[in-house]
Amino acid sequence: MTNIQNSHDGQNRLDRQGETAAVSPEVTVHDHGGGVRSVEVPIPDNPLGHTLVYVVDTDGGPVLVDTGWDDPGSWDVLAAGLEACGTAVGEVSGVVITHHHPDHHGLSGRVREASGAWVAMHAADAAIVRRTRETRSERWFSYMEAKLTAAGAPEEHVAPLRAGHRRGSTPGFSPALPDREIVPGEFLDLPGRRLRAVWTPGHTPGHVCLHLEEDHPARLPGHGRLFSGDHLLPEITPHIGLYEDPDDATVTDPLGDYLDSLERIGRLAPAEVLPAHQHTFTDAPGRVRELLAHHEERLSGLLSLLRQPLTAWQLAVRMEWNRPWDQIPYGSRNIAVSEAEAHLRRLVKLGRVEPVTGSEPVTYVAV
């Protein structure tokens, strides 16, 4: 473990590259070398534990890759972690968001208020942020009610949505609107750094990975380093569900998008991957192969289940999750159904599954 020393202002700070430091029982920072550090920002009541918020030194001041969950405790950890990295929230010049989910984008607005930093996001996810802020809660509740009913959810699962609709309570958040657009294939405006955006839709429509096209500080073989967000994680398969938009009936194929994006990242062959969760790792092409094989195996397993006609809900109940269905919380069941629907769309597009004509709610069967 690295040494922690008091800086001129009395704050603990990281003083050696390539090490990890427990600044306090609540604050852990990592120095990845080459002017890149990370802070473990906690996600309240979530098994993932934390988001790795990366701090990238630039000639114009530090830039963050993601910010963490919007929670007072998470904010305190981020602020303390930045101090340990030798900087402060008020010195942040920019925020680059890999995708709009609240464990990545949640604190962006607060960072901007404290520092005047710009916030950048891909246009597809920026559109989701605008929609989330502008759509009335009643519209979201009625949309989710209709969606789950069409998926074959039982009445006892749909009923709370009707109750929420009547109360007018607001699901979700009011995320900060970005003020810059991340353009795929282009370098971001980070003075003194070469950080190129790579569009990797799947987990969200506007998810981006960020390729730091610079020599690895430890001279590891490969092509630079990759901030992978949730697209490529060392031990977790990211959730792939439907892209929700109450006012857009476009039939998307997020799983197909994700698989295509995985292959694109595999071809980059970065020397090291810096993900948003868990830990850094090497051999990105090997991890990509594992994920492609996992999804092919899962699709084959679903085809076996679909020898009999099933609704999306019935399929979700029968799929393998990290716990039995009766132990999955209400909100997580909605996520599971969305993932089942994403897999169904992929199988339909491949011509391996088709909807049963006249079924209501719609059932699907293997061809």
Side-chain angles (χ1 to χ4, degrees):
M1 183 163 293
T2 190
N3 295 322
I4 297 294
Q5 298 180 344
N6 286 334
S7 64
H8 66 278
D9 58 0
Q11 297 296 316
N12 289 332
R13 60 182 293 169
L14 195 65
D15 77 321
R16 238 173 50 200
Q17 288 189 344
E19 300 289 348
T20 298
V23 179
S24 72
E26 296 80 26
V27 182
T28 300
V29 297
H30 309 265
D31 190 332
H32 304 282
V36 177
R37 300 170 179 83
S38 63
V39 181
E40 295 185 3
V41 178
I43 311 171
D45 303 317
N46 189 295
L48 276 176
H50 61 266
T51 301
L52 287 167
V53 173
Y54 291 93
V55 186
V56 181
D57 294 341
T58 81
D59 292 345
V63 168
L64 304 185
V65 177
D66 293 332
T67 57
W69 191 275
D70 186 5
D71 174 81
S74 302
W75 170 258
D76 290 344
V77 169
L78 176 61
L82 290 173
E83 291 284 350
C85 291
T87 184
V89 174
E91 297 176 4
V92 173
S93 62
V95 175
V96 184
I97 299 300
T98 60
H99 61 294
H100 73 86
H101 287 165
D103 55 323
H104 298 257
H105 181 45
L107 285 171
S108 300
R110 191 162 179 183
V111 170
R112 181 166 56 193
E113 289 172 5
S115 64
W118 47 262
V119 177
M121 183 183 290
H122 186 281
D125 272 21
I128 293 174
V129 169
R130 285 193 296 273
R131 187 167 67 242
T132 300
R133 293 170 60 93
E134 295 169 2
T135 302
R136 293 178 303 136
S137 60
E138 294 86 352
R139 180 73 178 98
W140 277 111
F141 278 118
S142 61
Y143 167 73
M144 289 301 299
E145 176 188 341
K147 181 178 179 298
L148 286 164
T149 299
E155 170 59 26
E156 60 266 24
H157 187 86
V158 177
L161 293 169
R162 296 198 187 97
H165 184 183
R166 288 194 296 270
R167 290 194 304 268
S169 56
T170 303
F173 307 86
S174 296
L177 285 169
D179 43 60
R180 290 192 183 184
E181 181 179 334
I182 296 175
V183 180
E186 293 189 2
F187 286 113
L188 280 80
D189 184 18
L190 274 61
R193 308 308 296 250
R194 292 175 57 84
L195 190 66
R196 191 187 300 274
V198 184
W199 185 34
T200 50
H203 185 57
T204 71
H207 191 292
V208 293
C209 293
L210 302 156
H211 191 200
L212 190 60
E213 297 182 2
E214 302 170 5
D215 290 340
H216 191 280
R219 297 292 188 251
L220 295 181
H223 305 291
R225 290 184 282 179
L226 185 79
F227 299 101
S228 65
D230 281 0
H231 182 71
L232 193 63
L233 301 169
E235 301 166 8
I236 299 172
T237 304
H239 164 69
I240 308 297
L242 297 188
Y243 303 152
E244 308 292 2
D245 185 346
D247 301 311
D248 187 351
T250 303
V251 179
T252 58
D253 179 20
L255 181 54
D257 293 341
Y258 178 67
L259 298 176
D260 289 343
S261 299
L262 274 179
E263 293 183 344
R264 186 159 58 253
I265 290 301
R267 290 192 293 271
L268 280 180
E272 187 177 23
V273 179
L274 284 67
H277 304 289
Q278 298 189 306
H279 54 82
T280 61
F281 62 101
T282 57
D283 191 16
R287 181 58 180 148
V288 165
R289 288 192 295 271
E290 290 177 356
L291 288 168
L292 291 172
H294 163 79
H295 282 286
E296 183 58 38
E297 180 180 352
R298 194 170 204 196
L299 289 170
S300 296
L302 297 187
L303 282 173
S304 297
L305 292 174
L306 290 165
R307 289 176 184 149
Q308 60 174 319
L310 297 173
T311 64
W313 178 274
Q314 291 169 332
L315 183 63
V317 170
R318 290 162 174 78
M319 290 170 68
E320 290 189 12
W321 305 104
N322 60 1
R323 70 190 85 174
W325 184 259
D326 60 4
Q327 296 178 20
I328 297 177
Y330 179 89
S332 297
R333 290 188 180 190
N334 294 341
I335 294 172
V337 173
S338 182
E339 187 155 329
E341 289 180 306
H343 282 75
L344 282 170
R345 286 196 183 179
R346 174 96 289 246
L347 289 168
V348 169
K349 188 169 183 177
L350 292 172
R352 299 163 79 178
V353 163
E354 64 184 15
V356 176
T357 303
S359 58
E360 189 178 348
V362 178
T363 57
Y364 296 83
V365 66
V367 176

